[in-house]
Amino acid sequence: YQQTHQWSVRTIQRKTIPQAKFSYDLSPVEVVVRKGDRRWYDFITSVFAIIGGAFTVMSMTAGFMNFTSAKFKSSIGKHG
């Protein structure tokens, strides 16, 4: 971690608007990529996680659509 500052004092005219200037220099983030062997159960766990996540998102979307459809139908007086 490194921090630097610079101080300066200036005399400005009365009609001039004071300013504060900030500049940031963000250093790049290092990404380490390693290729290694995966166990068969790691692969199966990942597949089940993807399937479970997709099922959850689709179920939530279907529930939201059913709720919205029921509210819309009740607002226009149509039962079904």
Side-chain angles (χ1 to χ4, degrees):
Y1 182 75
Q2 189 178 39
Q3 181 180 7
T4 59
H5 9 262
Q6 177 182 1
W7 296 89
S8 65
V9 177
R10 290 179 44 190
T11 305
I12 58 173
Q13 295 178 358
R14 204 167 194 146
K15 295 179 182 178
T16 306
I17 298 173
Q19 298 178 6
K21 295 183 180 180
F22 300 95
S23 64
Y24 298 97
D25 183 21
L26 301 176
S27 61
V29 177
E30 179 180 352
V31 177
V32 178
V33 178
R34 280 188 257 161
K35 184 177 181 179
D37 296 335
R38 289 182 73 182
R39 303 273 184 191
W40 63 271
Y41 49 81
D42 288 335
F43 176 74
I44 296 296
T45 303
S46 297
V47 169
F48 283 142
I50 292 169
I51 292 171
F55 178 76
T56 302
V57 169
M58 287 187 279
S59 297
M60 290 174 64
T61 303
F64 175 74
M65 296 300 286
N66 287 338
F67 176 77
T68 306
S69 175
K71 286 291 184 183
F72 179 71
K73 285 180 182 178
S74 69
S75 71
I76 61 172
K78 185 176 183 180
H79 300 288

